[in-house]
Amino acid sequence: MDCNKKYKLLGFSRAETIKANIMVLATGKHINIGLQELENSIITDDFNRHELKALYRRLYGDANTVTSYDLADRHERSWYAYVMISVAMSVIYILCTISGIKAIQISLINFVVPPAIFFYPLTFIFVDILNEFFGLRMARRTILISFISNILFVTGLWATSLLPGLNEWDLNQPYSEFVDSITAVLFASSCAYLISENINSLLLCKIKKLTNSRFLFIRVITSTAVASAIDSIIFCTLAFYNILSIETINTMIISQIIIKLAYAVIGVGPIYAFRELFRRYINAPNQKECI
């Protein structure tokens, strides 16, 4: 934050003609000056951004007037949130790649799924939010960023598996097999991820236009239902073909679709809440149109 060196804005008078109360820092002397006169003086060159924002709100409008300083704050906060969501997407995708090599059975409901299924649906929620506030183009950019991050991560693991290990280290062979399994899953998850997430983004944007940005729950449930079905079919088929039986693969596909749809329905409430919190955070009255 910029620091005042010569002058400091203390406030405004409440008289019929509003004047600014300025303190000269070197002497402590107070100056009362008209707003227009203040704007045209060199005093404002020493103001920080918050003082300038207060001055221009008093000068040109009420408290709801948006100045260039408001826009700068909004821009900074908005991009900070975008970066955080992009990082979260990358972390979740890498976690899903690692945990996707293991198939577990939930005997109570006869589901066969990889542990990644409990994390992956979160990416659909993040993509929904990105589409709401940043548009289709930026949502696709985050998908690409997380995809490249995952590729680099798995490539690094694969490179370490090629290095000779100590003979007394008992995990040489298990480590190599583990990395090989991750590499195989990477191909399946990459295909499923790129196709399903882009379909999810496209459907969200199209439905948003058709409904005039209303009925968020329709967008979320419809897009997630279609995207999750495509993702599950592609991933399970590519990752476990010739490893598990066709019957088991079909069970995995159905199990994943049901779990992802449950996430979509349960996630509508958090998306509504997060969208409102996000709008308040960046003080944005309107959402960005899909482009």
Side-chain angles (χ1 to χ4, degrees), residues 206-241:
K206 296 299 183 183
I207 298 174
K208 181 179 179 180
K209 287 183 177 179
L210 291 175
T211 58
N212 196 25
S213 298
R214 297 178 297 171
F215 310 121
L216 174 64
F217 68 94
I218 295 179
R219 298 200 297 275
V220 172
I221 295 176
T222 302
S223 63
T224 303
V226 176
S228 62
I230 294 174
D231 176 84
S232 300
I233 293 171
I234 295 175
F235 174 77
C236 294
T237 302
L238 294 179
F240 298 103
Y241 184 74

Side-chain angles (χ1 to χ4, degrees), residues 82-83 85-87 89-90 126-127 130 136-148 193:
Y82 176 79
V83 169
I85 292 176
S86 297
V87 171
M89 287 273 288
S90 299
F126 283 129
V127 170
L130 289 174
L136 178 60
R137 183 181 303 170
M138 297 307 297
R140 284 177 169 173
R141 185 168 297 177
T142 294
I143 293 171
L144 181 60
I145 290 172
S146 58
F147 172 74
I148 294 175
Y193 181 77

Side-chain angles (χ1 to χ4, degrees), residues 109-126:
I109 50 180
N110 195 29
F111 277 8
V112 178
V113 293
I117 188 61
F118 300 108
F119 308 105
Y120 187 73
L122 296 175
T123 63
F124 290 118
I125 296 177
F126 283 129

Side-chain angles (χ1 to χ4, degrees), residues 97 100-101 175-186:
T97 299
I101 65 176
Y175 181 82
S176 297
E177 293 176 355
F178 175 74
V179 173
D180 289 341
S181 299
I182 290 179
T183 305
V185 168
L186 174 66

